Amino acid sequence: MGEKILEIEDVTVSFDGFKALKNLNFSLDKGELRVIIGPNGAGKTTFLDVITGKTKPTQGRVLFKGKNLRSLKEHQIARMGIGRKFQTPRIYLNLTPRENLEITCNQQKKLWSTLFGKPKSAERQTVSGLLETIGLTANADLPASKLSHGEKQRLEIGMLVAQSPDLLLVDEPVAGLTDEETENVGNLLLALAQSHSIMVIEHDMEFVRQIARKVTVLHQGSVLCEGNIDEVQNDPRVIEVYLGQEVEHKQGAGSRE
Ligand SMILES: Nc1ncnc2c1ncn2[C@@H]1O[C@H](COP(=O)(O)OP(=O)(O)OP(=O)(O)O)[C@@H](O)[C@H]1O
């Protein structure tokens, strides 16, 4: 068993009595890339919210690098090394990818110099290295508004990495992307997984197959099962949960997407 970077112990989150997470137990090894799947309303977003501190557990503990996050505010948790990428890109469209990355790196540098004095690091090198990692060197000086949806997603992943988090939380990174862009984002996450711990929430099963080593299936706020993609896709409980959802769709019952 590897060293744990994240441990969720018996976490319940109640919203006015409704349990969005129910006695959830989960752990992530340092350096692991894990994909979380589950039908609509399974609790995936709430799960990320309790890790970032946006939502506090009603019961249970969230440990990051062995430290209980209960008393910490969202920005303190971010500073401990948890970075989150939301579904919609949050980049400055009037700036270029290079400028977007420079801003993020500068913010980091400022924080660093406040704590430890003037930095000597060659920041430009960091920015150009990041541009290369996310495959945007050729478009580095175009306004970000001109980038494709997939390039914007990759830029935002680059901005997340620029904050040097130990754990990256990535929410549906390929929603609405072309097949080619989906593969690019997948390759980027696989490359980043060599030096980061990463959790990805995703619906696109082809993409899950591309990147996932281990998959966790959430259902009604708890872990339904875990395993490699084939184990999970062939698990009768998973099939039942997803088929049930298909039937609901056909009958016109509520999906939030
Ligand atoms: N602030 C809130 N107040 C009340 N109920 C909430 C709140 N946030 C989430 N819920 C409910 O908790 C359940 C889990 O929601 P959550 O958004 O975590 O699911 P999800 O798996 O991310 O769903 P989706 O795939 O549709 O985004 C849902 O039934 C949702 O309606």
Side-chain angles (χ1 to χ4, degrees), residues 15 18 20 39-46 203 256:
F15 295 114
F18 173 77
N40 291 329
K44 303 181 293 296
T45 307
T46 310
H203 283 288
R256 298 191 306 140

Side-chain angles (χ1 to χ4, degrees), residues 231-248:
E231 287 164 350
V232 157
Q233 272 190 316
N234 293 319
D235 189 311
R237 293 167 299 173
V238 177
I239 295 169
E240 195 184 323
V241 162
Y242 275 94
L243 278 182
Q245 193 178 39
E246 249 172 56
V247 172
E248 273 182 29

Side-chain angles (χ1 to χ4, degrees), residues 3-48:
E3 186 188 337
K4 304 285 176 214
I5 188 160
L6 183 71
E7 293 154 281
I8 310 276
E9 295 177 352
D10 206 30
V11 162
T12 294
V13 170
S14 293
F15 295 114
D16 297 327
F18 173 77
K19 291 181 176 168
L21 295 182
K22 216 182 300 170
N23 305 106
L24 181 71
N25 286 290
F26 174 89
S27 70
L28 186 76
D29 284 345
K30 191 163 177 250
E32 199 184 333
L33 168 62
R34 180 80 62 93
V35 180
I36 314 288
I37 64 170
N40 291 329
K44 303 181 293 296
T45 307
T46 310
F47 186 16
L48 294 193

Side-chain angles (χ1 to χ4, degrees), residues 50-69:
V50 291
I51 300 171
T52 59
K54 185 174 173 207
T55 300
K56 290 291 175 194
T58 313
Q59 176 201 308
R61 301 199 305 168
V62 179
L63 305 176
F64 176 59
K65 296 191 266 192
K67 186 170 171 28
N68 191 343
L69 301 182

Side-chain angles (χ1 to χ4, degrees), residues 8-245:
I8 310 276
E9 295 177 352
D10 206 30
V11 162
T12 294
V13 170
S14 293
F15 295 114
D16 297 327
F18 173 77
K19 291 181 176 168
L21 295 182
K22 216 182 300 170
N23 305 106
L24 181 71
N25 286 290
F26 174 89
S27 70
L28 186 76
D29 284 345
K30 191 163 177 250
E32 199 184 333
L33 168 62
R34 180 80 62 93
V35 180
I36 314 288
I37 64 170
N40 291 329
K44 303 181 293 296
T45 307
T46 310
F47 186 16
L48 294 193
D49 289 345
V50 291
I51 300 171
T52 59
K54 185 174 173 207
T55 300
K56 290 291 175 194
T58 313
Q59 176 201 308
R61 301 199 305 168
V62 179
L63 305 176
F64 176 59
K65 296 191 266 192
K67 186 170 171 28
N68 191 343
L69 301 182
R70 168 155 284 287
S71 59
L72 299 179
K73 301 217 160 39
E74 237 179 313
H75 69 273
Q76 293 172 314
I77 293 173
R79 235 175 259 168
M80 276 180 74
I82 298 183
R84 180 174 188 175
K85 190 210 159 298
F86 289 87
Q87 205 178 328
T88 7
R90 298 174 173 194
I91 54 183
Y92 299 103
L93 291 173
N94 53 336
L95 301 180
T96 66
R98 190 188 305 281
E99 289 163 343
N100 268 285
L101 289 171
E102 273 168 1
I103 285 181
T104 317
C105 286
N106 274 336
Q107 283 167 349
Q108 284 305 109
K109 220 170 66 169
K110 223 162 143 188
L111 181 68
W112 183 265
S113 60
T114 314
L115 294 174
F116 305 112
K118 250 192 172 342
K120 291 187 201 84
S121 66
E123 169 215 338
R124 287 217 161 263
Q125 215 179 331
T126 317
V127 170
S128 45
L130 274 172
L131 283 166
E132 204 175 314
T133 306
I134 59 176
L136 287 183
T137 305
N139 290 339
D141 299 306
L142 289 179
S145 57
K146 295 263 194 297
L147 299 178
S148 70
H149 183 41
E151 288 170 330
K152 285 180 190 145
Q153 293 286 7
R154 282 188 274 138
L155 173 55
E156 205 183 47
I157 292 173
M159 289 167 72
L160 186 61
V161 173
Q163 295 159 35
S164 311
D166 299 314
L167 172 63
L168 274 75
L169 306 175
V170 186
D171 200 352
E172 295 195 40
V174 299
L177 296 192
T178 62
D179 288 351
E180 193 188 340
E181 274 297 359
T182 297
E183 203 179 327
N184 288 341
V185 169
N187 288 335
L188 172 56
L189 290 174
L190 287 172
L192 293 174
Q194 292 174 13
S195 48
H196 296 84
S197 310
I198 307 182
M199 273 173 68
V200 182
I201 288 185
E202 191 46 66
H203 283 288
D204 181 329
M205 289 309 282
E206 275 306 303
F207 178 71
V208 175
R209 191 166 276 285
Q210 184 195 344
I211 65 165
R213 290 138 202 187
K214 188 168 173 186
V215 179
T216 296
V217 186
L218 278 195
H219 177 52
Q220 295 181 344
S222 304
V223 173
L224 182 67
C225 70
E226 285 182 335
N228 69 36
I229 181 82
D230 288 321
E231 287 164 350
V232 157
Q233 272 190 316
N234 293 319
D235 189 311
R237 293 167 299 173
V238 177
I239 295 169
E240 195 184 323
V241 162
Y242 275 94
L243 278 182
Q245 193 178 39

